[in-house]
Amino acid sequence: MRVHLGSDHAGLELKDHLVAWLREQGHEPVDHGPFVHDALDDYPVFCLRAAEAVAAERVAGEDSLGVVIGGSGNGEQMAANKVQGVRCALVWSEETAVLAREHNDANVVSVGGRMHSVDDMTRFVEVFLGTDFTGDERHVRRIGQLASYETTRELPPLPDSARGHEQG
């Protein structure tokens, strides 16, 4: 599987570790940078490129995934989620890695290089890459609502449970 990676200076060490680890596991890592430590670098530069590559390859019918890495993973997740067609999940445990794929069909994972050990974060990425989307109707429906909003900017209709509490 092709795996696109992007980070900032705080995630550089983990990214470099993951590039080597992914190769050892038989994956094809694509490193979008950075390639040297610069404490003033900007994560959107690298994370947007990794996310754009995942989105483009998925449109082309390829099954690539992405990993974005920062100090906490928060900003990197936000950057990746700006790319149309990307669903990036911030992962901090094996369970969140599983749910990101099974329920949300996330195609990019974000991890915080300063939040866990390298072994733990490598395991989170391993679980993410090894988990499939369940395809359950409720998850497909929810992802469809997000995708529709992403392109139309029209809110999904309120369910019956919200009637009488409409805003505006």
Side-chain angles (χ1 to χ4, degrees):
M1 173 182 298
R2 187 171 299 129
V3 181
H4 294 273
L5 298 100
S7 73
D8 68 355
H9 60 278
L12 178 62
E13 185 177 320
L14 176 60
K15 180 185 62 70
D16 290 345
H17 164 78
L18 287 173
V19 166
W21 179 83
L22 286 163
R23 273 195 195 101
E24 291 170 6
Q25 301 304 307
H27 297 292
E28 180 187 346
V30 180
D31 189 345
H32 294 271
F35 304 103
V36 297
H37 185 270
D38 176 358
L40 299 177
D41 67 8
D42 299 316
Y43 61 84
V45 172
F46 308 109
C47 295
L48 287 169
R49 282 174 169 74
E52 282 274 348
V54 170
E57 289 182 0
R58 288 193 157 261
V59 166
E62 297 177 40
D63 195 28
S64 63
L65 294 172
V67 180
V68 293
I69 309 149
S72 69
N74 282 311
E76 295 73 24
Q77 176 202 31
M78 291 176 195
N81 277 320
K82 297 296 182 188
V83 175
Q84 188 170 357
V86 166
R87 286 178 306 284
C88 181
L90 178 63
V91 169
W92 62 90
S93 67
E94 289 186 35
E95 183 179 16
T96 58
V98 167
L99 293 173
R101 291 288 296 136
E102 283 185 349
H103 290 195
N104 306 113
D105 197 17
N107 47 25
V108 178
V109 64
S110 183
V111 294
R114 295 179 176 161
M115 301 291 110
H116 302 278
S117 71
V118 170
D119 288 343
D120 284 347
M121 288 182 289
T122 303
R123 178 65 182 147
F124 303 160
V125 170
E126 179 180 36
V127 169
F128 178 82
L129 296 177
T131 303
D132 292 324
F133 177 52
T134 65
D136 288 353
E137 186 277 329
R138 66 188 169 126
H139 302 309
V140 171
R141 182 180 68 245
R142 293 166 185 162
I143 292 166
Q145 289 172 353
L146 291 172
S148 177
Y149 180 77
E150 188 175 53
T151 57
T152 68
R153 294 298 182 212
E154 293 179 21
L155 293 170
L158 289 170
D160 291 340
S161 63
R163 300 283 179 221
H165 299 323
E166 291 94 356
Q167 298 289 320

